Amino acid sequence: MISVQQQDFNQQSEYERLRCQSSIGAIVTFTGLVRDINDGYSVSDLCLEHYPGMTEKSLMNIVEQAKSRWNIIASTVIHRVGQLSINDQIVFVGIASQHRGDAFAACEFIMDYLKTEAPFWKKETMESGESKWVDARESDHKTRSKWVM
């Protein structure tokens, strides 16, 4: 399941949806939150924008790449858009697999590619009221490079 949405999600419900699959031996989940600090400055909120249709297609491609590398029985990727406050949930990635190694690797791969390849535009508002667009960091690209074959 892939969803780009404004509304919050329930981690337990998403976990239970993955858990009801047959033949699984592991579920790995990741939930990303809005931080109150970035690059040394205080953040008051975050606005995420996207291009409907293109974003979902990109997320589907990332998940398909993961499925071609690891044994994934079921997956969930939820990414929120719109205005978000500090500690709001931004992203949920859940992977169900027969083995933990596949589940951990696929979850990490998907997150690394979401950070660098997914077409989301992020604008942080600082406590001073000033806003700035945020790109993927060099460290995000470096982390993702470990998956390049």
Side-chain angles (χ1 to χ4, degrees):
M1 182 192 90
I2 291 176
S3 180
V4 178
Q5 61 192 46
Q6 288 190 343
Q7 69 272 21
D8 200 4
F9 52 85
N10 181 298
Q11 291 180 31
Q12 187 62 38
S13 296
E14 299 308 327
Y15 173 85
E16 291 301 329
R17 187 183 345 263
L18 291 166
R19 190 171 175 231
C20 71
Q21 307 298 314
S22 60
S23 301
I24 63 169
I27 296 173
V28 171
T29 66
F30 172 84
T31 304
L33 307 175
V34 177
R35 291 184 301 243
D36 64 348
I37 193 161
N38 188 16
D39 289 334
Y41 62 86
S42 296
V43 175
S44 61
D45 59 54
L46 175 69
C47 182
L48 283 148
E49 297 179 9
H50 76 114
Y51 193 120
M54 182 175 84
T55 305
E56 291 83 356
K57 185 176 180 179
S58 176
L59 298 182
M60 181 64 75
N61 182 43
I62 292 167
V63 170
E64 289 303 317
Q65 287 180 59
K67 286 181 177 180
S68 73
R69 293 173 179 231
W70 298 282
N71 178 16
I72 298 173
I73 295 169
S75 63
T76 300
V77 175
I78 301 171
H79 207 298
R80 294 183 64 201
V81 294
Q83 199 70 30
L84 301 173
S85 299
I86 302 305
N87 289 328
D88 279 354
Q89 299 180 126
I90 302 172
V91 62
F92 176 90
V93 175
I95 303 295
S97 184
Q98 287 182 332
H99 304 284
R100 65 184 164 90
D102 285 343
F104 274 113
C107 189
E108 186 177 13
F109 172 90
I110 290 170
M111 274 309 306
D112 287 346
Y113 272 73
L114 284 175
K115 292 283 288 180
T116 57
E117 299 297 320
F120 291 101
W121 295 274
K122 302 175 185 180
K123 187 192 304 186
E124 292 178 331
T125 303
M126 296 170 247
E127 286 187 351
S128 66
E130 182 182 350
S131 295
K132 80 173 204 171
W133 292 101
V134 180
D135 291 323
R137 298 176 181 163
E138 185 178 323
S139 60
D140 295 326
H141 289 284
K142 185 176 180 180
T143 300
R144 192 204 72 208
S145 69
K146 73 180 173 189
W147 303 111
V148 176
M149 298 176 125

